């Protein structure tokens, strides 16, 4: 009689249930592969944000806060360009209103004999108004530059913050400068004030004119002229 310890008495581990195809794990197919990780979120689209704190649109805004103050010579170059533009405007207006008696001014010259001449001040007034509008719109815009300032590479900004000057400050700046110009044209003695305004950047620490100080503006040099 044989006991259950066959083959030399070794214990036999009972075999598990047979493997059938139905118990096998499903084969891997491309359709069952785990999905790839989602792509990183795209940057939100929209208008570019303009830099602040010393950076305004145009030029190289990243360096505007450290841009040097425009020297007197460079500012003079831009001023002369704007002066030529408005000299042409004034000449055209003088021709147009040469026979006008509006705002008539009496001039007297003495060269051997006394000569009297009548001239209308209207062209000068119109030119002054146009100059104020010109300076307000261009210096108060995001560029902060008149045509002459564009040519020499300088810009008017707010003192301290270096932000866009704005139309209110640009208007005050243009009005003061325009009044000083008219004083220089019609009153030679009072023209010393205009001359002082023009020369003030030579000794001022921030290279400001008097009309810059009134408006709280400074003029920065953004690039080398020429």
């Amino acid at each position: 009689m044989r006991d259950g310890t066959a083959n030399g008495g070794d214990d036999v581990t009972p075999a598990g249930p047979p493997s059938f195809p139905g118990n096998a794990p499903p084969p891997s197919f491309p359709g069952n592969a785990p999905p790839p990780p989602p792509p990183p979120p795209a940057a939100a689209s929209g208008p570019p944000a303009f830099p602040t704190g010393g950076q305004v649109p145009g030029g190289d805004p990243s360096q505007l806060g450290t841009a040097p103050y425009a020297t007197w010579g460079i500012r003079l170059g831009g001023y002369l360009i704007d002066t030529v533009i408005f000299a042409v405007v004034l000449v055209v207006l003088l021709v147009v209103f040469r026979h006008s008696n509006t705002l008539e001014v009496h001039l007297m010259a003495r060269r051997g004999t006394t000569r009297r001449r009548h001239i209308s001040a209207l062209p000068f007034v119109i030119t002054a108004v146009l100059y104020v509008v010109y300076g307000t719109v261009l210096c108060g815009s995001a560029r902060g530059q008149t045509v002459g300032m564009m040519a020499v590479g300088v810009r008017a900004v707010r003192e301290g913050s270096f932000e866009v000057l704005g139309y209110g400050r640009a208007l005050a700046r243009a009005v003061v400068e325009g009044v000083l110009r008219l004083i220089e044209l019609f009153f030679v003695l009072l023209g010393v004030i205009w001359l002082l305004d023009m020369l003030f950047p030579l000794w001022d620490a921030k290279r400001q004119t008097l009309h810059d100080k009134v408006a709280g503006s400074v003029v920065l040099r953004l690039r080398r002229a020429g």
Side-chain angles (χ1 to χ4, degrees):
M1 185 172 178
R2 297 181 180 178
D3 53 12
T5 59
N7 297 330
D10 295 336
D11 293 336
V12 177
T13 304
S19 299
F20 295 99
N23 296 331
S28 298
F29 295 101
N32 296 330
S45 60
F50 291 113
T52 59
Q55 301 175 3
V56 296
D60 189 356
S62 63
Q63 299 180 1
L64 186 59
T66 58
Y69 296 116
T71 62
W72 180 80
I74 293 176
R75 294 193 61 171
L76 179 63
Y79 171 81
L80 291 177
I81 293 174
D82 288 332
T83 298
V84 169
I85 293 173
F86 278 88
V88 173
V89 173
L90 178 59
V91 169
V92 171
L93 292 174
L94 286 172
V95 172
V96 171
F97 293 100
R98 64 185 182 275
H99 299 304
S100 174
N101 296 324
T102 307
L103 298 178
E104 191 175 50
V105 177
H106 301 278
L107 302 177
M108 185 172 58
R110 294 181 179 178
R111 290 185 180 179
T113 58
T114 301
R115 295 183 180 180
R116 296 179 180 273
R117 186 176 180 182
H118 308 284
I119 185 173
S120 174
L122 186 59
F124 297 94
V125 174
I126 294 176
T127 303
V129 171
L130 291 176
Y131 182 82
V132 169
V133 174
Y134 171 81
T136 300
V137 172
L138 294 186
C139 287
S141 68
R143 293 189 64 93
Q145 298 169 297
T146 63
V147 174
M149 296 170 76
M150 293 178 196
V152 299
V154 299
R155 170 176 294 153
V157 295
R158 291 192 183 190
E159 181 182 6
S161 66
F162 303 111
E163 296 176 348
V164 174
L165 188 59
Y167 294 111
R169 292 174 183 265
L171 175 61
R173 187 177 186 271
V175 167
V176 174
E177 185 178 5
V179 168
L180 293 176
R181 280 194 178 191
L182 285 177
I183 289 175
E184 185 269 338
L185 284 174
F186 292 104
F187 307 99
V188 177
L189 294 179
L190 294 179
V192 175
I193 301 176
W194 171 82
L195 184 61
L196 178 65
D197 176 63
M198 290 297 298
L199 297 179
F200 212 84
L202 286 174
W203 56 79
D204 186 73
K206 295 182 179 181
R207 309 295 187 187
Q208 291 175 294
T209 58
L210 294 179
H211 60 271
D212 279 322
K213 291 188 176 296
V214 170
S217 63
V218 291
V219 176
L220 303 181
R221 183 178 181 183
L222 302 181
R223 63 173 174 79
R224 293 184 179 178

